[in-house]
Amino acid sequence: GAVVSQHPSWVICKSGTSVKIECRSLDFQATTMFWYRQFPKQSLMLMATSNEGSKATYEQGVEKDKFLINHASLTLSTLTVTSAHPEDSSFYICSARPTGGGEQFFGPGTRLTVL
Amino acid sequence: DAKTTQPTSMDCAEGRAANLPCNHSTISGNEYVYWYRQIHSQGPQYIIHGLKNNETNEMASLIITEDRKSSTLILPHATLRDTAVYYCIAARGTASKLTFGTGTRLQVTL
């Protein structure tokens, strides 16, 4: 099956710093990728839809200037959490949908801890 | 996208069939029923999806009622590795974003 990777798998940073998370589709091209956030004991919440070569579409309540998304190629999308604070600590998960269609495939997630 | 309702949790003995129900009474004609599962601290895994016909793959079977207001995911021989949170999602095909509800926590026991 299709594989999506994320890097890093976990990261600890100090409050006020920025953190970049990468999402890669390893064996397929993905025009569209999605970014989710999951707090402990809660479900996944969609943050934004990332389209290759264009601006991301953010869900209501998600600050686009704080969560910067770049989808520069058909196999890579990045999420940068700028000026991270402890309340941004969460499990960040991406998914990718193959350009030719089909279901979404999810990455393994990145656990962010902001001290 | 239509709202889905699932039981909060279920138990199943290893080797037995696990039947996970989902209610989607407001589903529209162009919405598919998707099932994903999430094992602890991992990303969700696609299981199966269908529109109105029953579907089967190597992981599971999906039974959709004739009026499409509910469906059941069947894991024919549950194993301990099937312990996970199972999400039922109604979405307008693969072009749509997926809205995750609270899901059903399936615990498979010896």
Side-chain angles (χ1 to χ4, degrees):
Chain A
V3 178
V4 175
S5 70
Q6 284 185 237
H7 178 81
S9 55
W10 59 270
V11 56
I12 301 172
C13 70
K14 293 182 179 180
S15 186
T17 61
S18 295
V19 175
K20 179 186 284 189
I21 301 170
E22 293 185 348
C23 176
R24 293 182 185 273
S25 56
L26 297 185
D27 50 2
F28 65 96
Q29 293 184 330
T31 305
T32 304
M33 292 185 175
F34 301 87
W35 286 96
Y36 297 81
R37 180 169 54 180
Q38 185 175 34
F39 292 108
K41 299 189 185 303
Q42 295 186 23
S43 187
L44 284 79
M45 295 289 292
L46 179 67
M47 299 176 67
T49 302
S50 168
N51 293 298
E52 187 265 339
S54 64
K55 291 184 179 180
T57 303
Y58 290 81
E59 294 299 300
Q60 192 173 9
V62 178
E63 299 176 56
K64 62 179 181 180
D65 294 330
K66 180 170 181 62
F67 299 99
L68 302 179
I69 291 172
N70 184 279
H71 192 158
S73 79
L74 288 173
T75 59
L76 173 65
S77 177
T78 60
L79 168 69
T80 301
V81 183
T82 62
S83 186
H85 291 285
E87 56 265 31
D88 297 323
S89 298
S90 189
F91 193 47
Y92 291 85
I93 307 169
C94 73
S95 70
R97 189 176 69 229
T99 299
E103 59 273 9
Q104 291 182 36
F105 296 95
F106 285 79
T110 296
R111 188 160 302 282
L112 169 64
T113 300
V114 184
L115 302 177
Chain B
D1 296 336
K3 179 179 166 59
T4 61
T5 304
Q6 300 176 252
T8 303
S9 63
M10 294 181 64
D11 291 332
C12 178
E14 189 176 36
R16 305 296 293 268
N19 298 289
L20 291 88
C22 179
N23 181 286
H24 32 79
S25 58
T26 62
I27 195 169
S28 60
N30 62 353
E31 287 185 304
Y32 290 74
V33 179
Y34 287 85
W35 283 85
Y36 282 79
R37 72 180 181 184
Q38 185 178 26
I39 296 170
H40 184 62
S41 294
Q42 297 182 24
Q45 177 189 21
Y46 167 81
I47 301 173
I48 199 168
H49 76 282
L51 185 61
K52 51 184 177 181
N53 296 323
N54 297 337
E55 302 288 344
T56 296
N57 63 21
E58 64 277 6
M59 289 184 68
S61 294
L62 174 60
I63 308 298
I64 303 174
T65 57
E66 194 169 340
D67 62 8
R68 300 206 331 120
K69 292 185 177 182
S70 65
S71 61
T72 302
L73 178 75
I74 301 172
L75 307 179
H77 305 286
T79 70
L80 297 177
R81 294 180 190 175
D82 293 321
T83 292
V85 178
Y86 287 77
Y87 296 98
C88 167
I89 301 168
R92 282 169 291 175
T94 57
S96 290
K97 58 187 180 184
L98 300 176
T99 302
F100 286 79
T102 53
T104 295
R105 183 172 299 279
L106 176 68
Q107 179 70 52
V108 181
T109 57
L110 290 172

